[in-house]
Structures are given as structure tokens and as C-alpha cells.
Amino acid sequence: MRLSKFYDIDFSFSNLGYDLKIFLISFLCGASVFTAEYFFCLLFNSTFAVMGVQADEIRDVVLANFKSTIILSQLKIILVYIVIGGLVGLCFGYILNLYSIIFKKSFRMLSVILSVLFLCFIASLLFLIIDIFYHPALYNEVFYANVGVLRDIQLYITDRISKFVISFIRYITILIFSPLLIAAIFSIIKRIYKVFALLPLYGRIISAVIVLALTFLLAFSDTGKNQGPNIIILSSDSLRYDRISAYGYKRDITPNIDRLVSEGFSFNNLHAQLPRTFPSWYCLLTGKYPKGHGIRHMFPTREELKACKTDLVEILRNKGYTTSVVADYAGDIFSRMDDYERVNTPYFNFDSMIKQRSLELQFMLLPYIQNRLGRYIFPELRCFAQNSDPEYLKNDVIQELEYLSKKKRFFLTVFFSVTHFPYASPYPYYKMYTENEYKGEYKYLKINDPRSAKVITKEDRRYINALFDGACKSLDDAVGQIIDDLKNKGLYDNSIIIIKSDHGENLYDYGLDIGHGEHFRGEFATHIPLIIKFHKNYAANVKTKNYDGIVEQVDFLPTMLDILG
């Protein structure tokens, strides 16, 4: 039996039934394979854990009080599995259809079904291999953390398969979708042309004028509105001062930040008042000590947050600034503030953590949703500590700058999480400074479990430091791309750009362990970078390049207000 032509369906009633039958067969085959993968993942690993740490008491509370959240999240995941699987199946069905037309070969229905089932399964494996290679920390719990063949599989993918092979596999998987996509585009163009051809001459002219006018308006509307000076904070959680290459670090891991150092001003001895993310940001944005603003830990009450206003944000907003914040998982604190006008950050509560865990278990689905659409459908992807790829946040920032560039002036805060533990940077950064021969517990990330009494060896420490350096490098590349975008949009010269961190990080310095999540003490916990690239009208007033005296975060607000006059 010859397959029907998907790309040129005749929607007359005489042919619709036959075409619909072929459509449903390939769609259902793909949906069946992906539904089976959902149940396989569920049976494979169904524990409730966060970043590899499980507490039975929390599990019992979740199962007792959040059944509806669990059920709804599972139904949503199954639905996405079915849709993606169906589309993949449809693509293979269409490819078989093209094969039958080109080579004039007929297929039995059973052959079509078996072929689509097999090809969908192979496609799933290829997509999984690609994403394990690029984001190995995301699959650490399922593969590497399990002793035996699963660990060997992940090691083989990340350590033995070359980037060339992965790129080849990636292009092959893209080709799977190309024929149907091209056919759909041509089909749409064909139908638009038919409608256009039916119009009288004056109708065609009017339609062409309308299309050109809309194109012009979209391309040039609201351009040139921004006057500045804009303020852009590019911050990263736990970024250590001593990792800035311009300050003498042994590895050249921050060339883009180094350029801002050379163009701007460095406070070389800046210290955080309280090296925790929430109170640190409040010190910066209020100009007050923790006793003054009242935020002393990571879990303030609603009443405490309501009583504390971020003065800098409020002042700038009152002066006509559009205020915005964009962050990934460590920036959930901003979702609890009530000051920024535009907030694009994760939000942590029991609901979001349950949804996050439900999605983490579905490792066969993750490769298909590592994109903007996937993060829109599953906002909880932004909460994954083991997938803090700065590429995603950089894209969010560039999109936000598109909006802000049309405003008179803006204050944008960006908060990266890639340098926060577990230092889960993507390819190639997790491999840049690490040793392939290492087969210890922290191959792809460093989970910090304060309950563990495991002894960290010198080899472990060296490797964890290398992971951190790779995370710093990935941050720097993202910063460089944001800087390039600012220049392309004509915003760079008239913007104040600030590089900073909320606090430092202990990496087994002076016997202080890793510290994060357990303690923050010592020089490397409080000493943080602060680099300011001034806007063009102020830069000429600056006669020096750095200041070595002790500076506190509370000095930032009055300094910024002085720069702005």
C-alpha cells in the first residue's frame, strides 16, 4: 500500500478520511513510544529528592498534602510526551512517504508501524546522547551516580565521543524534522498565494502596501528612544574576587570581564556585610547594614520583606527608570521582593519544587525541552541547579534588552547562578580545566550535602576547583555576548555596567571546607569583585583605575547616586 502525500493533502471529503488514517497511524506510533518512555522513567526512579538529597519526612508531607499538584504535573508531562512523540512519529511517516514516492515503493501497513516505532525509539536515544554530552550534570543522578553500566554509558558519552560525532548526530536529528517542516512552509505559502491570486489588482496592491507598512513599523518603531544613562548590574552568585584574570589569576578565564576592568574602575577590597544572597542584595540596594534593613538570612517572612524597601530601585523608578531583573535559579529571591517593575526569575515553593522533581525524573523528555519553548511550558526548568546553563539566561537578558532599549532609561539587574554550587556548567566548560582520568563522585558537579561525612581528597579538591573555573569561564562568555548585544543596540556607551557578586565562596581554603549552604567565613567568603564601567558623560571625570582601600557593599548606593548626579 502506498502512503498518502502528507505535504499536499486534499481537504475534500472524498480524500480526508484516507489521509487522516495515515496521519493518525504515524502520530500514534510516535506517541506510543514516548508514552512508554514516560512510564519507564517513572519506574526507573521515583524518589523525592532535591539536588540529590532526600528527606523521608518531606516526602511524607508532600504525598499527604500535594496530591493534586503531583497529579496535574504528571498529566502535563504525559501530554507533552504524547505531542512531541506524535510529531516525531509524523516526521518519520512523512519521510517514509517521500521514500515511497521517489523510489515508487509500496509499504505494508505493518511495515510502516514497525518502522515508525523503531525510528522513534532510535531518535529518542540520539537526542538523549546529545543532551548528556552538553549537560551531563542534569543526568548525573540517573547515570553516573549509579555504579555499573549506567555510569559507564555516561562516561563513554562525555569522555570518549568527540564533539565532531555529537555535531554529526545533532545535524542528523535536525534532518528528521526538515522534510515535514519544509513541506508545511511550502503548503502555507501555496495557500497564501492562492488567496492572493484570487484578489483583484487593486486588492493585491493594497495587501502589498499593508504588509510593507507593518514590516516598516515593526522594524523601526520606538527606535532611538533610549537616552540613558542606563544601569546594568551583571552579577553572579559566589563569584570569587581572585578568579578575575585581570587581578592575577593563573588561568585566563575572564577575558570579557578583564576588558571592563581596563575600561572602568575596580574596587579592589570590597567586602559583603553578610555573605548570604538575600541579605547581601539588600545591603547593596538599600545602603544599610543588616540590622538596618532587617533581612539577616535566606528565609525572611512576608512581613519582614514588606517592611524593607530596596531604596535604589525605588529612587530610580521615581526618576523615570524602568526597573527590571532577570535571573535563574539562585535569583529566586527577587521574586519575593516587591520593588522591580519587571521580574523574570524563578519562584520556589512546595508546588514548584514538586513540579521540578517530577520533571527531573523524566530524563527521556529533558532533551526535547532544553529550549525557550520548553522553558515556557515548564517554568520549573529555571529552578534546576544542575542545569544552570548561562546560555539560557543570556538569551533572556538579550530579549529583555530588546524591550528596555525602547525605554527612556532603565535599571537592569542580572543574576547568574552558574558559579553557585554545584558548578554545573555545560559543554565545553565542564571539560576545559578538569582531568578526563578523574572518576570520583564529583565528575560533573559538586553537590554539597552537610550531612555527609565523606572525606574530600586532594584530587577531589583540585577537580572541584577546576569545575568552578569552568563555570567562571562560561559566565564570562555570557557576559561578553551581553556586552556585544549592548554595543549592537547602541546602549553600551551610555550605560553604567557593573560586575559584582553577592558573596564569595570557600573552596577548601585554609581548612574551611566548601562552606556554601553550611557556613561562610573568611576572606574568600566576604571579599567580592566590584567593577564599574561608567557611561560616556562621566568616564572623563575619573582620573584613576582602581581603589585599594576597604569598601563595603553599603557604600554602593550613595556611590551610584553620586555618579548619577
Side-chain angles (χ1 to χ4, degrees):
M1 183 185 73
R2 190 175 300 281
L3 293 179
S4 172
K5 293 184 178 182
F6 277 48
Y7 64 90
D8 194 22
I9 295 175
D10 183 353
F11 282 95
S12 64
F13 286 104
S14 60
N15 287 320
L16 184 59
Y18 180 74
D19 291 328
L20 183 60
K21 180 182 177 182
I22 301 297
F23 177 91
L24 285 174
I25 287 171
S26 56
F27 185 93
L28 290 174
C29 285
S32 299
V33 172
F34 278 58
T35 302
E37 290 172 0
Y38 163 81
F39 287 105
F40 172 75
C41 292
L42 207 61
L43 292 171
F44 185 84
N45 186 10
S46 58
T47 61
F48 183 80
V50 177
M51 292 178 64
V53 180
Q54 179 173 323
D56 293 339
E57 297 83 358
I58 295 177
R59 179 202 60 200
D60 295 340
V61 168
V62 169
L63 293 175
N65 298 286
F66 294 90
K67 288 187 178 70
S68 60
T69 301
I70 296 172
I71 292 170
L72 289 174
S73 66
Q74 294 303 314
L75 289 174
K76 182 179 177 181
I77 289 170
I78 291 174
L79 179 61
V80 173
Y81 261 116
I82 291 171
V83 171
I84 295 175
L87 290 174
V88 173
L90 182 58
C91 289
F92 282 121
Y94 184 75
I95 291 171
L96 290 174
N97 174 57
L98 289 179
Y99 180 86
S100 71
I101 293 170
I102 295 170
F103 296 99
K104 297 180 180 180
K105 179 179 175 62
S106 297
F107 290 100
R108 293 182 180 275
M109 188 58 67
L110 181 60
S111 298
V112 174
I113 293 171
L114 293 176
S115 297
V116 173
L117 289 173
F118 175 74
L119 291 170
C120 285
F121 175 70
I122 295 299
S124 289
L125 292 182
L126 294 179
F127 273 92
L128 184 62
I129 289 169
I130 292 169
D131 208 44
I132 289 174
F133 182 84
Y134 281 101
H135 301 101
L138 188 58
Y139 301 91
N140 183 80
E141 180 184 353
V142 175
F143 288 89
Y144 188 75
N146 288 290
V147 178
V149 66
L150 292 175
R151 170 178 283 210
D152 293 338
I153 288 171
Q154 181 157 7
L155 281 172
Y156 185 83
I157 292 170
T158 59
D159 292 2
R160 302 300 177 195
I161 300 181
S162 69
K163 173 68 186 310
F164 173 80
V165 172
I166 292 295
S167 297
F168 178 77
I169 296 173
R170 202 174 192 177
Y171 291 131
I172 291 296
T173 56
I174 292 172
L175 288 174
I176 293 170
F177 300 96
S178 299
L180 187 60
L181 180 61
I182 293 169
I185 292 170
F186 272 100
S187 179
I188 292 169
I189 293 172
K190 182 179 177 181
R191 282 162 174 75
I192 292 172
Y193 177 76
K194 284 181 178 180
V195 172
F196 187 77
L198 291 172
L199 294 174
L201 180 60
Y202 68 85
R204 299 178 197 177
I205 294 172
I206 292 172
S207 299
V209 170
I210 291 172
V211 170
L212 288 172
L214 288 174
T215 303
F216 180 83
L217 287 172
L218 289 172
F220 299 103
S221 62
D222 293 327
T223 56
K225 244 185 169 184
N226 186 265
Q227 298 176 12
N230 310 299
I231 306 169
I232 303 163
I233 296 179
L234 300 177
S235 182
S236 188
D237 199 306
S238 315
L239 177 62
R240 283 174 52 137
Y241 173 90
D242 67 336
R243 279 335 198 250
I244 308 297
S245 303
Y247 300 151
Y249 190 53
K250 62 183 179 180
R251 288 175 173 146
D252 182 20
I253 59 177
T254 59
N256 296 296
I257 294 176
D258 293 348
R259 278 192 286 274
L260 289 175
V261 171
S262 65
E263 294 178 22
F265 186 93
S266 297
F267 292 93
N268 295 333
N269 204 5
L270 176 76
H271 289 264
Q273 271 61 61
L274 203 167
R276 293 283 184 182
T277 301
F278 223 144
S280 174
W281 273 103
Y282 267 97
C283 289
L284 187 90
L285 297 174
T286 65
K288 300 172 184 175
Y289 291 99
K291 182 179 179 180
H293 59 63
I295 308 299
R296 304 187 183 192
H297 49 75
M298 289 298 294
F299 305 101
T301 64
R302 291 180 181 176
E303 291 73 23
E304 288 173 329
L305 289 170
K306 192 174 181 181
C308 181
K309 293 295 180 183
T310 51
D311 300 72
L312 181 59
V313 181
E314 191 170 345
I315 290 168
L316 293 174
R317 193 171 63 241
N318 292 337
K319 292 292 183 181
Y321 278 77
T322 300
T323 58
S324 174
V325 58
V326 185
D328 44 18
Y329 87 92
D332 72 292
I333 64 163
F334 294 101
S335 64
R336 289 181 268 167
M337 296 180 182
D338 191 28
D339 299 312
Y340 286 89
E341 298 166 76
R342 296 171 59 82
V343 179
N344 184 7
T345 67
Y347 181 77
F348 281 108
N349 56 21
F350 257 119
D351 273 348
S352 66
M353 293 177 72
I354 291 167
K355 293 174 183 176
Q356 175 187 340
R357 184 56 185 166
S358 297
L359 202 55
E360 284 176 338
L361 298 174
Q362 296 299 328
F363 59 91
M364 296 298 290
L365 178 64
L366 293 176
Y368 299 92
I369 55 178
Q370 297 277 44
N371 47 61
R372 181 171 291 178
L373 178 60
R375 293 165 85 81
Y376 176 79
I377 297 171
F378 296 105
E380 53 270 25
L381 280 168
R382 299 171 65 91
C383 303
F384 280 32
Q386 68 274 43
N387 192 25
S388 53
D389 186 343
E391 180 73 11
Y392 301 132
L393 183 57
K394 180 264 296 182
N395 290 337
D396 289 343
V397 172
I398 290 175
Q399 185 179 21
E400 183 66 6
L401 284 170
E402 192 66 36
Y403 171 85
L404 295 173
S405 64
K406 299 176 178 63
K407 300 301 176 182
K408 188 174 182 179
R409 55 182 61 94
F410 62 84
F411 172 42
L412 172 62
T413 300
V414 181
F415 192 41
F416 288 91
S417 305
V418 67
T419 50
H420 184 291
F421 81 88
Y423 324 129
S425 52
Y427 178 88
Y429 304 101
Y430 72 88
K431 300 182 78 169
M432 275 189 172
Y433 310 109
T434 55
E435 303 159 356
N436 249 18
E437 294 74 22
Y438 178 84
K439 300 297 184 290
E441 183 179 350
Y442 313 111
K443 176 73 174 177
Y444 305 110
L445 74 170
K446 172 62 174 80
I447 295 295
N448 189 31
D449 183 359
R451 304 172 306 171
S452 175
K454 177 178 171 58
V455 175
I456 305 294
T457 66
K458 288 183 178 180
E459 184 185 21
D460 290 335
R461 294 181 183 185
R462 185 172 64 252
Y463 196 87
I464 291 166
N465 268 273
L467 283 177
F468 184 77
D469 285 357
C472 292
K473 175 62 176 170
S474 70
L475 165 70
D476 183 79
D477 283 353
V479 168
Q481 292 175 65
I482 292 172
I483 296 300
D484 289 342
D485 187 65
L486 289 169
K487 291 178 178 178
N488 292 336
K489 289 183 169 71
L491 299 171
Y492 182 78
D493 290 336
N494 205 21
S495 293
I496 302 168
I497 300 174
I498 298 135
I499 301 290
K500 65 166 291 292
S501 182
D502 53 344
H503 53 72
E505 184 82 314
N506 286 325
L507 290 170
Y508 309 102
D509 309 284
Y510 310 123
L512 288 175
D513 209 316
I514 199 166
H516 205 147
E518 182 181 359
H519 68 262
F520 271 129
R521 300 193 299 271
E523 169 74 9
F524 292 112
T526 65
H527 191 176
I528 56 178
L530 179 61
I531 301 154
I532 301 179
K533 195 282 297 182
F534 302 105
H535 62 291
K536 60 184 179 183
N537 293 334
Y538 189 87
N541 301 328
V542 182
K543 305 303 181 185
T544 60
K545 300 295 292 183
N546 56 73
Y547 177 67
D548 292 325
I550 293 177
V551 183
E552 300 176 289
Q553 274 189 308
V554 293
D555 298 324
F556 178 78
L557 184 145
T559 302
M560 287 306 302
L561 296 182
D562 183 62
I563 292 170
L564 294 170

